[in-house]
Structure formats: C-alpha cells, structure tokens
Amino acid sequence: MTATRATALFDQLAPVYDEVLPFFAGFARQHMAWLAPAPGTRVLDLGAGRGALTAAALARGCRVTAVDCAPGMVERLAAQYPQVHEARVMDVHQLDFPDGSFDLVCAGFVVHLLDDPAAAAREIRRVLAPGGVFSFSVPGDVEDAPEWEFYGALFREFQPLIPEGQGRLSRPLDAERLLTAAGFVGVSGTAMEQRLPVPDADTFWDWGLSHGSRAYFDALPADARTEFEARVRAELSTVTPPPPEGGGFSLCLVGVATDQPGP
Ligand SMILES: C[S@@+](CC[C@H](N)C(=O)[O-])C[C@H]1O[C@@H](n2cnc3c(N)ncnc32)[C@H](O)[C@@H]1O
C-alpha cells in the first residue's frame, strides 16, 4: 500500500471526521446532484471517508460500493450505511475489482492526496464500464470571503516550520491533464460553493483539527501550534459578537470524464 501517511492520518480522524461542521456532506450532496445518477447505477466511492458521497448516491437509489485506505473510516461507514453494497479497506492505486465493474466512480476530496494520481486514474478507467463516468472534487479557492483570508495567510506564514515530508498531504494537481492522460474523454467541470455558519472560535478550531489539515497542525513545533491557535482565536474575536457569518469555502469540481469503449 502506498497510502501509509493517509491511512494513519484518516484513521486517527475517523471518529470526528465531518462531525464538527458538515463540510464534506454538503459538498457531496451538491456533487451528486450535479451528476444525477439514475437509480441502480453501479457507483464506486473512492476514499469514501465517513460516506459523504456514498450517502448522497444511496439516497438516489444507486448500488454503492465504498472503499477507503483507513479501516476506521470503513468501519464507521459500514455501520452507518448498512444498505451499502460493499464497504472495503482498499488503496485507490490498486483496486481489487474486475474490469468494467462500475458505471460511475466518484471521489470527494481524495485525488489531490494520492501518491500517484496518474496510476490511480488508469486503475479507475480499468474498473469503469465503457461509457462510465469518473467524477472527483478537489478543494478550490475561497472567493468573496475576505474575513477568512487570514486563515490561508497563517498557513503560508507557518509553512516553513513544517519539517520536510510532514504536514498536509495535498499536492498540486492538473486535474484535466490527469484525466486525458489516463484516456478519459469528454472532460468537463463545475465550481461549487457552500457557506457554513461558524458559531464560535472553538467550533472553528475544532473543525480544523477534524479533517486533513490536522496533519499540518500536528507537524508544527508545539510553541508554533500554540501561536497559530492563539492568532486564529484573536482574529475571530474581532468579529464576535456577532458570531462569524459563515465560512466561505468553494470547491472546484474538475472533471466528469466519459470513458470510450476500448479498441
Ligand atoms: C479528505 S477525505 C474525503 C472523504 C470523503 N470522500 C468525503 O468527501 O468526505 C480523504 C479520504 O481519502 C482516503 N484516502 C486517501 N488516500 C487514499 C488511498 N490511496 N486509497 C484509499 N483511500 C485513500 C482517506 O483515508 C480519507 O478517508
């Protein structure tokens, strides 16, 4: 398995993942509404986490298989969604399914975390039936939310303190190129956005510790982490009361690709 860091991180996060603010669930509902799969569609949810996309696909009557490298995620997903066809621990880079098993492969906020996205995209194409669709989401830029710009600036400021090879798992990704290089056609995309109410600084800080950015905070030296947290709280205290109106988060959904029948 290549996903050693991801497995350790997300196994640790599984009990709290998407529990503080329903960030991933909200995007998954939008993502699935955009795809609008028909009932009975054979869906593979890759890096399914706690099941944000799985839940949205089940709600549309799809037959959903969910995989994730973190056993703690898979265990919780299977318990929460017993109607799922199959939930398995699996690395996206090596999918243990026969060729052409699925009509739709989806991945919410996963592809930018992978060690080898190109290899994963080839695997995904293999398990898709001819004409099947691969759709994935990645984080996008936050727009029109000046009140939250300080947060990104803090990440940039403290980044030099993170030891090489630690910190956030995300990597830059040319999503369209990834799809075309793997042989997908008909690539298209859309941008999605949601604004979540953030009731107070405690909730915001706990949210930051409940998803992938936890790896960044855990990699900071202790005094720097304390300072980072203090500065987040100081910034938020300037807007409370009243409480922050809401976090502005946008998502660039980059690609639905249609696979053509092989030669
Ligand atoms: C940011 S979370 C997204 C979870 C879910 N898709 C959602 O939208 O809430 C990324 C998930 O991808 C999983 N993951 C990361 N690398 C993986 C890999 N190589 N194989 C399988 N799962 C992986 C992690 O364990 C984690 O659950």
Side-chain angles (χ1 to χ4, degrees):
M1 183 178 269
T2 53
T4 314
R5 281 191 67 212
T7 303
L9 172 67
F10 287 100
D11 224 29
Q12 174 196 17
L13 290 173
V16 291
Y17 188 82
D18 223 18
E19 298 270 330
V20 182
L21 292 171
F23 179 86
F24 296 96
F27 275 123
R29 279 193 295 274
Q30 291 184 54
H31 189 163
M32 206 47 74
W34 181 56
L35 294 170
T41 300
R42 296 168 300 166
V43 174
L44 173 62
D45 183 4
L46 291 179
R50 292 283 299 271
L53 279 167
T54 288
L58 286 171
R60 289 175 173 269
C62 299
R63 192 186 80 161
V64 184
T65 300
V67 302
D68 198 286
C69 63
M73 291 289 198
V74 175
E75 196 181 308
R76 284 170 177 79
L77 184 152
Q80 190 170 357
Y81 303 106
Q83 65 275 48
V84 82
H85 176 66
E86 213 182 353
R88 288 171 64 183
V89 175
M90 201 179 292
D91 187 337
V92 168
H93 299 91
Q94 289 169 291
L95 296 174
D96 185 18
F97 300 108
D99 296 359
S101 302
F102 300 98
D103 309 305
L104 169 63
V105 175
C106 56
F109 296 98
V110 178
V111 177
H112 64 297
L113 306 176
L114 297 177
D115 296 328
D116 189 348
R122 288 193 296 273
E123 260 301 80
I124 290 160
R125 185 168 185 238
R126 180 185 68 73
V127 301
L128 272 170
V133 169
F134 172 35
S135 179
F136 64 96
S137 60
V138 293
D141 292 331
V142 178
E143 286 172 7
D144 303 326
E147 69 275 29
W148 295 103
E149 276 170 14
F150 80 91
Y151 196 53
L154 279 177
F155 275 97
R156 289 190 292 278
E157 180 185 332
F158 282 72
Q159 180 62 39
L161 301 174
I162 304 269
E164 184 76 25
Q166 296 183 37
R168 286 196 286 195
L169 270 62
S170 57
R171 300 183 172 95
L173 181 76
D174 184 337
E176 189 163 341
R177 191 146 171 261
L178 174 77
L179 290 166
T180 48
F184 289 92
V185 297
V187 175
S188 67
T190 190
M192 292 177 182
E193 181 175 349
Q194 62 173 344
R195 288 181 186 258
L196 293 171
V198 179
D200 50 40
D202 284 344
T203 303
F204 188 72
W205 184 249
D206 288 347
W207 174 74
L209 298 178
S210 72
H211 64 98
S213 59
R214 175 70 182 258
Y216 178 99
F217 296 123
D218 285 353
L220 282 174
D223 55 343
R225 177 172 161 151
T226 303
E227 186 191 335
F228 193 116
E229 178 179 352
R231 289 186 46 195
V232 168
R233 290 180 180 280
E235 281 283 347
L236 292 181
S237 72
T238 66
V239 288
T240 51
E245 291 257 313
F249 307 103
S250 70
L251 164 75
C252 185
L253 182 68
V254 215
V256 170
T258 306
D259 198 351
Q260 296 295 295

